[in-house]
Amino acid sequence: MAAFLYRMGRLAFRRRWTVALVWAAVLAAVGLASMTAPEAEEEPFSMPGIESQEAFDLMEERFPGAAADGATARVVFVSSNGEKVTAGKNKEAVEAAIAELGDGAQVASIVDPYESGAVSEDGSTAYTTVTYKVDAAGLIDVGRSHLDESLEHARDSGLTVEAGGDAMQDMGGPSGTAEAIGISVAAVVLLITFDSLAAAGLPLLTALIGVGISLFAITALAGPLGLADTTSTVAIMLGLAVGIDYALFIVSRYREERAKGRAAQEAVALATGTAGSAVVFAGLTVVIALAGLSVVGIPMLTEMGVGAAGAVVVGVLIALTLVPAFLGFWPNAILTRKDRKARRAGGTPRETRKVNGGTRWASFVLRRPLLVLLAAVAGLGALALPMTDLQLGMPGDEALSKETTQRRAYDALAEGFGPGFNGPLTVVVDAKGTGDPEAAAETVSERIGGTEGVVSVSPAQFNESGDTAVFSVVPTTAPTDQETKDLVNTIRGDRPDIESESGAAFEVTGTTAMNIDVSEKVQSALVPYLLVVVGLAVTLLLVVFRSILVPLKAAAGFLLSVLASLGAVVVVFQQGHGADLLGVETTGPIMSLMPIFLVGIVFGLAMDYEVFLVSRMREAYVHGERPAQAVTSGFQHSARVVVAAALIMIAVFSGFIGDSDAMIKMIGFGLASAVLLDAFVVRMAIVPAVLALLGERAWWLPKWLDRILPRVDVEGEALIRPAGAEAEPADKDLART
């Protein structure tokens, strides 16, 4: 591996113009493809293999043309000063608003609240549902403007008018603010780390090129594959983070080799062969973790995982080819000012100091490894404790800011009609083959209506064939309450008796039931996913480090950091501690997809730091240093760069905390906290402490296993040659600074 990458880096250096032009051509090609690709259509959320999805599919089959996926806007009218919405002028205002709302070009239907009984018992609140002919993504600007204008006209009457539903969703896409924040902080960190504008700018430039290629490719494929907006958002998030980090490690190793007196071309080749090997295997662990999300069986997670994995692959390829090429263009500009000055004066750059912050920290840990280990594990364990209170769900309008009309509409409906009104259950009765479908549906409706926790049941609506009925069930509790989940389980648990009595089958669906089913599916898939991903990654690390205990230690450290980060998510987003600081106005269950998605990404990133840090320790050990010396050497060369890489990732992820999308906000916080804990507690404290306690045993590998494992030479043992073995090439380009 190291020898192959050495040759690749050398070739990229020598053929730098060709490499740069090839990547420019790739960027232009995918950019053109994205501009000419058909516009992506928003795919409805689906979850194969759960009851609520099967019931929804049955509804679409038995009620053709019912626009089941059409956008809806639920408009709420609230009277003021104790008046009723049924009073003369208020009723006139509501009816005028309904008439205006129904005149929209894309409106399929609208319901009169006075005819449908959609008025609260105290007469203070009424609502109407506007159904559109297209889904939320298909609403044109004229349709959205008409809706907004109609709401404003209705408010002029003195009524409080709010609207919720997917028709009110903001389809503007990412604003770019998060990316700008992450890049700005990354630039500052890189400048402090490298003391060179060129060295700081190169990782940013190559990362942006990689993100551009990935984003254009996802945009080009979004239409044919029906990719969601979150696919590109997560790809940008990870593409920026790993793209900067991978280039950072190559550039850092290049400067280290130049400091030893090596020629620019040789330094690039060695940096690509050694640090590049770590980049390859770190990237592989990330790709394994992300691609492994497909085994969960959730299309949305699969799209996000594969899209982000593609961005990581692009980042690895750019780090191995374009970064060496750019180093060929500016071989001396990458060095510090002092090193460039020394080179112009005819001297050589100073070699890396033997004692730095990394060695001092390693010495501290090596003197008291057991104390450091116990303190770190206890701290992470304390952070992980809130995980025992983890509740999963899918936050809706109740999680939005109170400044939004959707949230105010949600609160108004809950106050006027009860908390369960915002999360009704939909029951689909399949009466096909029964003698009297109406009687069968009536029996199912009566039995479910008599269940404790049910407020009301709507009249059953039949399809044209008369063999399928649909009715709504309003619970007494809010959609995210545990009591609502218990109610769904009770109804389903009573199914055998109800179906036996009615002679018809039924299924429970709706947004609330869908969220409950998704949560249960994610929880059941988490352990198998962990076994698959951790097993593959441990096997990969076994090949890289040729050790039994180091990969196991890496996996254990990951579990600690991911549990602690999930605990932090629970503290903020579920328990509400510090929620105001992050703009989280309403707390509640953690998003169902969050744990498994966080596990997938954090595992890959955690293995990044493991490979970068421990590979330098392994390299020192292979080259003859004692175990304790090897730990110190690894920190001497890698600690500063790992800290910089972690700070960059934290900055990139933290930028997404300001996103208005609840899922992106939660993912940004979870990833930022996970990287913070993994890099600074697990990799910088637990790793050296464990290696110090294990000593020689850390690198033990059974002889029989050593014989069958492939040798990849990540340490670059075959590449090490005396400094100055190759003279500075007489290439006029290398004179540039």
Side-chain angles (χ1 to χ4, degrees):
M1 172 67 76
F4 171 76
L5 294 177
Y6 173 91
R7 292 192 295 271
M8 178 185 292
R10 190 182 183 93
L11 181 64
F13 183 96
R14 296 174 61 185
R15 300 284 186 266
R16 47 192 173 274
W17 279 108
T18 302
V19 173
L21 289 174
V22 167
W23 279 110
V26 171
L27 180 61
V30 294
L32 181 62
S34 69
M35 288 187 290
T36 57
E39 187 175 350
E41 295 184 3
E42 189 74 15
E43 292 287 331
F45 180 82
S46 65
M47 179 74 68
I50 59 176
E51 177 179 328
S52 51
Q53 183 65 52
E54 293 171 355
F56 183 80
D57 294 341
L58 180 62
M59 286 175 61
E60 289 197 318
E61 176 189 341
R62 301 286 178 86
F63 292 84
D69 59 348
T72 59
R74 180 176 282 180
V75 182
V76 187
F77 305 92
V78 182
S79 59
S80 58
N81 301 323
E83 297 179 352
K84 298 183 182 297
V85 291
T86 54
K89 64 175 184 177
N90 288 338
K91 185 175 181 180
E92 290 176 4
V94 171
E95 290 177 336
I98 291 171
E100 184 176 357
L101 286 165
D103 286 339
Q106 294 178 291
V107 174
S109 64
I110 186 169
V111 180
D112 188 318
Y114 302 108
E115 294 180 1
S116 63
V119 180
S120 62
E121 289 186 8
D122 61 3
S124 65
T125 309
Y127 73 91
T128 182
T129 301
V130 184
T131 304
Y132 290 85
K133 300 173 184 177
V134 295
D135 60 15
L139 277 176
I140 59 177
D141 291 339
V142 174
R144 293 183 185 279
S145 298
H146 176 267
L147 175 59
D148 293 336
E149 291 171 3
S150 300
L151 296 177
E152 286 300 323
H153 293 161
R155 291 179 182 124
D156 292 340
S157 67
L159 293 171
T160 298
V161 184
E162 308 294 351
D166 56 356
M168 301 298 298
Q169 291 177 1
D170 180 13
M171 296 295 171
S175 64
T177 304
E179 295 88 333
I181 293 173
I183 291 172
S184 300
V185 176
V188 173
V189 173
L190 287 168
L191 191 59
I192 294 173
T193 303
F194 284 132
D195 189 27
S196 163
L197 282 173
L202 192 150
L204 289 174
L205 175 61
T206 55
L208 288 173
I209 292 172
V211 167
I213 291 172
S214 302
L215 184 58
F216 285 145
I218 291 173
T219 303
L221 295 172
L225 301 182
L227 303 180
D229 289 340
T230 48
T231 303
S232 58
T233 304
V234 175
I236 292 172
M237 190 188 298
L238 281 181
L240 269 179
V242 303
I244 294 173
D245 279 6
Y246 293 166
L248 169 65
F249 282 101
I250 298 286
V251 172
S252 176
R253 186 59 183 255
Y254 167 79
R255 297 207 329 172
E256 183 183 324
E257 296 300 333
R258 290 297 300 276
K260 295 177 181 178
R262 302 191 190 279
Q265 181 174 283
E266 178 69 6
V268 166
L270 282 171
T272 310
T274 51
S277 296
V279 166
V280 169
F281 283 98
L284 275 176
T285 58
V286 179
V287 169
I288 287 173
L290 292 171
L293 290 170
S294 59
V295 306
V296 180
I298 301 175
M300 182 180 177
L301 273 183
T302 300
E303 293 173 7
M304 294 167 67
V306 173
V312 172
V313 170
V314 171
V316 171
L317 293 176
I318 283 182
L320 299 178
T321 56
L322 191 58
V323 171
F326 280 169
L327 289 173
F329 288 121
W330 304 288
N332 294 332
I334 299 297
L335 306 178
T336 64
R337 289 190 297 270
K338 290 182 179 180
D339 290 345
R340 293 197 303 272
K341 184 177 180 181
R343 188 170 291 279
R344 284 194 296 268
T348 58
R350 54 187 173 81
E351 192 167 351
T352 306
R353 290 178 299 167
K354 295 296 183 182
V355 178
N356 56 23
T359 57
R360 286 191 288 270
W361 172 252
S363 299
F364 169 80
V365 176
L366 291 173
R367 285 196 301 270
R368 47 188 69 80
L370 185 58
L371 179 62
V372 170
L373 178 62
L374 292 176
V377 172
L380 292 176
L383 277 176
L385 277 178
M387 263 285 293
T388 57
D389 188 38
L390 176 67
Q391 297 176 8
L392 297 180
M394 291 292 282
D397 287 347
E398 78 279 4
L400 298 178
S401 166
K402 293 181 179 179
E403 300 299 318
T404 63
T405 185
Q406 297 98 311
R407 170 62 187 277
R408 293 195 296 266
Y410 181 95
D411 292 342
L413 287 170
E415 183 176 351
F417 296 91
F421 188 80
N422 283 298
L425 308 175
T426 300
V427 177
V428 185
V429 181
D430 184 1
K432 196 171 185 178
T434 61
D436 190 347
E438 292 188 8
E442 182 66 23
T443 300
V444 175
S445 176
E446 289 179 356
R447 287 291 303 272
I448 292 178
T451 305
E452 184 179 355
V454 173
V455 174
S456 63
V457 175
S458 69
Q461 301 292 322
F462 281 85
N463 62 344
E464 291 184 4
S465 302
D467 58 6
T468 307
V470 175
F471 60 86
S472 295
V473 178
V474 178
T476 58
T477 51
T480 56
D481 287 353
Q482 179 63 36
E483 289 84 352
T484 305
K485 179 180 178 180
D486 294 338
L487 173 62
V488 173
N489 292 331
T490 298
I491 293 173
R492 288 172 173 170
D494 293 340
R495 184 177 4 234
D497 291 340
I498 298 175
E499 290 184 344
S500 176
E501 180 180 344
S502 66
F506 74 89
E507 293 176 317
V508 182
T509 186
T511 302
T512 302
M514 177 73 78
N515 293 341
I516 293 170
D517 291 347
V518 169
S519 300
E520 291 180 352
K521 180 167 184 175
V522 168
Q523 286 178 309
S524 63
L526 186 57
V527 172
Y529 171 71
L530 274 174
L531 291 175
V532 170
V533 173
V534 174
L536 288 174
V538 166
T539 302
L540 186 64
L541 294 179
L542 184 65
V543 174
V544 173
F545 296 128
R546 307 194 73 77
S547 162
I548 294 289
L549 297 179
V550 169
L552 294 177
K553 176 263 306 170
F558 151 72
L559 290 174
L560 278 173
S561 61
V562 78
L563 289 175
S565 62
L566 279 172
V569 170
V570 170
V571 167
V572 175
F573 289 87
Q574 183 176 307
Q575 298 176 351
H577 303 294
D580 291 342
L581 299 176
L582 302 181
V584 181
E585 295 196 21
T586 301
T587 58
I590 303 304
M591 207 162 318
S592 300
L593 305 182
M594 181 66 184
I596 201 161
F597 186 73
L598 187 67
V599 164
I601 294 182
V602 172
F603 182 78
L605 299 181
M607 295 304 104
D608 264 10
Y609 299 119
E610 181 74 14
V611 170
F612 287 130
L613 185 61
V614 180
S615 63
R616 291 307 299 265
M617 299 178 188
R618 170 73 182 174
E619 182 178 333
Y621 179 76
V622 167
H623 295 152
E625 293 189 8
R626 301 294 300 165
Q629 289 178 297
V631 171
T632 303
S633 294
F635 270 82
Q636 175 194 345
H637 295 295
S638 299
R640 180 181 176 88
V641 183
V642 167
V643 168
L647 289 175
I648 289 169
M649 278 201 179
I650 292 170
V652 171
F653 295 145
S654 296
F656 288 87
I657 297 175
D659 198 286
S660 59
D661 186 285
M663 183 172 186
I664 299 301
K665 182 189 291 286
M666 198 178 291
I667 288 175
F669 175 81
L671 290 178
S673 59
V675 170
L676 175 68
L677 296 172
D678 193 86
F680 292 101
V681 180
V682 175
R683 308 304 155 188
M684 303 297 287
I686 292 179
V687 166
V690 171
L691 291 178
L693 292 171
L694 291 176
E696 294 278 357
R697 291 168 293 181
W699 308 108
W700 172 78
L701 185 70
K703 291 182 178 179
W704 64 269
L705 188 55
D706 184 55
R707 286 193 297 270
I708 63 176
L709 285 179
R711 294 187 176 274
V712 294
D713 188 23
V714 175
E715 303 82 19
E717 189 175 6
L719 306 179
I720 301 303
R721 61 186 70 181
E726 180 180 314
E728 289 282 1
D731 189 329
K732 62 181 180 180
D733 288 338
L734 301 187
R736 299 176 184 173
T737 59

